[in-house]
Amino acid sequence: MTSILLLSGPNLNLLGTREPAIYGTATLDDHVEHATSAAASFGATLHHLQSNHEGVLIEAIHAARGVDDAIIMNAGAFTHTSWAIHDALSAFEGVIVEVHLSNPAAREPFRHTSVLAPVAHGSIAGFGALSYVLGVQAVANLLGITQAP
Ligand code: CA2
């Protein structure tokens, strides 16, 4: 069975508690639930890890090698800074999709660069909760899964 790892970076555990104008009112658990349902509709399983620690995320990417078929990652602010996560993702042989709730390109200049985008197959940003579902659809498409079993 196709296995997808969903990774969430720093502060995403705070979703639903602050900044609703930017990130909406849904919690991270809500987004994971939607992504899990979307994956199931393609006959795939999805497991999730959130961490506020760069090293924990890097080790999760290493552990996914040879185990998971795809990584969907919202790296939070590490998106803009972490060459270490960039390098870890570059060693993952499966599909990589970057997702964001907001549209960083329309926000502060420091958010305009993603150091992870060059090692992802593609990036989805600005669609709120839909970004996660679109991320799963992108993975299914890239893996050649056209419909649920
Ligand atoms: O739009 C996204 O998904 C981001 O990855 C969210 C990150 C931000 O640093 C990226 O530029 C874009 C921040 C997530 C922090 O979420 C919070 C939620 C509630 C309260 C405070 C932060």
Side-chain angles (χ1 to χ4, degrees):
M1 189 181 253
T2 300
S3 176
I4 302 170
L5 172 62
L6 173 62
L7 284 176
S8 300
N11 299 311
L12 287 162
N13 54 309
L14 298 178
L15 287 172
T17 64
R18 291 182 50 205
E19 309 232 41
I22 300 173
Y23 300 118
T25 54
T27 64
L28 184 57
D29 282 349
D30 294 333
H31 296 305
V32 173
E33 195 177 313
H34 289 135
T36 302
S37 297
S41 75
F42 289 107
T45 60
L46 182 145
H47 57 116
H48 174 247
L49 174 78
Q50 188 276 331
S51 179
N52 297 315
H53 302 279
E54 191 175 23
V56 172
L57 294 165
I58 290 166
E59 285 173 1
I61 295 166
H62 292 174
R65 297 177 69 222
V67 173
D68 295 302
D69 301 287
I71 295 175
I72 298 173
M73 185 161 199
N74 182 348
F78 285 149
T79 300
H80 317 298
T81 62
S82 181
W83 291 104
I85 292 176
H86 165 111
D87 286 349
L89 288 172
S90 72
F92 180 73
E93 66 288 347
V95 166
I96 300 168
V97 174
E98 176 186 15
V99 298
H100 296 285
L101 292 160
S102 67
N103 179 5
R107 299 179 62 193
E108 306 96 315
F110 79 89
R111 299 186 201 275
H112 293 184
T113 298
S114 167
V115 301
L116 309 184
V119 290
H121 287 80
S123 304
I124 296 165
F127 299 103
L130 184 60
S131 289
Y132 285 88
V133 173
L134 293 172
V136 171
Q137 290 179 356
V139 164
N141 188 275
L142 288 163
L143 291 174
I145 304 169
T146 52
Q147 57 185 16

